[in-house]
Amino acid sequence: ASRAQSRDAERAALDVQIVVWNKALTADPISAVAMGKLAALHMQKARESGSWNENLEAEVLARRSLSARTRRNGATAVTLTNALLAQHRFVEAIDVARTLVKQEPDEPAYRALLGEVAMEVGDDATAAAMFNTVWTSRSGLSIAPRLARWLELTNHVEKARRVLLSARDEAVTRRDLSIETKAWFHLRVGDLELRAGRERDAASAYRAGLALDDQDPRLLAAMARLAAHQQDPDAVIAWGERAIAARMDPATLGLLSKAYAQRGDGDKASEYAHALAVVAS
């Protein structure tokens, strides 16, 4: 109960902060600071809830903030880039990230962000150039997960694991990080282990995240993916139905449809296939 109470208290505090910064924006409608803060808060809410509208709200506020002030407003450019990434608008995201690095070339976190977006658009030359410059800053929590993914993609899985585990260990001890963020680090470790074929380590990481928040839809969906990997349709159904109760996710709907088909329940399989078609459209 205390874990759920902590999570609910954090979410309530987030809503309070949004109200406070909206009041600040009403008092000063052209405040780049207020718009930037609100954009970041809506982005956090989008990560927690999976709400598409929260991503859009974050994007709108971040653009307004940046149009009011570009100098020393890098954090808002990061929020805008992340909002665009969440919407899979990679070409726009890389433009924002490139501009940010051009304006503030000495900030390693911004170079790592550009490296991440470059990976998404297949610009390996830019990704390599950016990640080669951030190795000495690899312990930074905004850098480590991005660098680890690059190391993994370039076949340095052991290095990737060390970077990511170190960041995860730091994140879980930090008092200034939300439960959602800590759970996300466990998710990233689990996903790395699953791709590396280490199913037991993946399960351990996912369960550590669920120990922080047993309703985290990303981790519930990850457990369903792991169960599918292990050819266990019953477990896919158990985890997958909990996941979509928290957040509708096309990939999990697909897993559920397949799992019910494996169990010989054609009606349920069709029901989830139909739901997938509706969500995808």
Side-chain angles (χ1 to χ4, degrees):
S2 62
R3 281 200 309 269
Q5 284 168 345
S6 298
R7 182 194 64 232
D8 293 345
E10 271 191 8
R11 290 182 182 172
L14 179 62
D15 289 334
V16 169
Q17 286 184 68
I18 288 173
V19 169
V20 168
W21 280 105
N22 268 313
K23 284 181 179 170
L25 187 58
T26 302
D28 181 1
I30 57 168
S31 168
V33 172
M35 287 184 276
K37 288 282 190 185
L38 274 168
L41 292 167
H42 281 289
M43 199 65 225
Q44 185 182 339
K45 199 156 188 183
R47 288 193 303 271
E48 290 178 358
S49 66
S51 165
W52 190 257
N53 288 340
E54 294 290 348
N55 277 321
L56 297 177
E57 185 69 17
E59 181 196 344
V60 168
L61 285 159
R63 286 192 188 281
R64 283 176 59 197
S65 175
L66 288 164
S67 67
R69 190 182 81 197
T70 50
R71 285 176 63 77
R72 291 172 58 201
N73 201 6
T76 301
V78 172
T79 300
L80 176 57
T81 306
N82 286 328
L84 293 168
L85 283 174
Q87 298 171 57
H88 293 192
R89 288 160 61 191
F90 302 121
V91 175
E92 290 170 83
I94 203 164
D95 286 343
V96 177
R98 278 189 203 282
T99 302
L100 176 58
V101 169
K102 208 170 282 180
Q103 286 170 342
E104 301 194 44
D106 296 333
E107 177 49 66
Y110 299 164
R111 298 198 299 272
L113 177 64
L114 176 54
E116 179 187 27
V117 192
M119 271 194 292
E120 293 287 359
V121 299
D123 182 354
D124 288 353
T126 297
M130 292 300 109
F131 286 120
N132 286 341
T133 69
V134 300
W135 179 253
T136 53
S137 309
R138 63 189 176 279
S139 60
L141 294 188
S142 63
I143 294 169
R146 293 174 168 129
L147 175 60
R149 186 72 181 120
W150 173 249
L151 289 167
E152 183 192 354
L153 288 173
T154 52
N155 298 313
H156 300 288
V157 178
E158 272 310 314
K159 261 188 188 174
R161 181 178 285 117
R162 284 198 299 273
V163 168
L164 199 52
L165 287 174
S166 174
R168 191 269 320 265
D169 292 346
E170 189 199 334
V172 296
T173 63
R174 287 265 294 265
R175 295 199 165 179
D176 59 328
L177 294 184
S178 66
I179 290 170
E180 174 268 322
T181 301
K182 293 177 182 183
W184 179 83
F185 272 93
H186 286 298
L187 175 71
R188 290 298 291 258
V189 170
D191 286 348
L192 172 71
E193 300 294 18
L194 184 57
R195 287 190 295 265
R198 294 164 54 140
E199 294 177 1
R200 189 176 294 176
D201 291 325
S204 174
Y206 294 149
R207 288 185 185 279
L210 287 165
L212 294 174
D213 180 0
D214 62 2
Q215 291 178 45
D216 188 305
R218 304 162 305 182
L219 286 157
L220 294 170
M223 289 296 284
R225 282 199 306 277
L226 175 61
H229 206 74
Q230 296 170 327
Q231 299 291 310
D232 185 349
D234 292 342
V236 172
I237 289 163
W239 289 111
E241 295 202 325
R242 282 181 64 190
I244 62 161
R247 180 190 299 179
M248 202 55 78
D249 169 53
T252 308
L253 291 170
L255 289 178
L256 283 164
S257 178
K258 194 173 173 185
Y260 274 112
Q262 285 175 307
R263 285 227 313 221
D265 189 337
D267 290 345
K268 272 284 194 187
S270 298
E271 192 181 307
Y272 279 112
H274 177 68
L276 171 58
V278 170
V279 170
S281 68

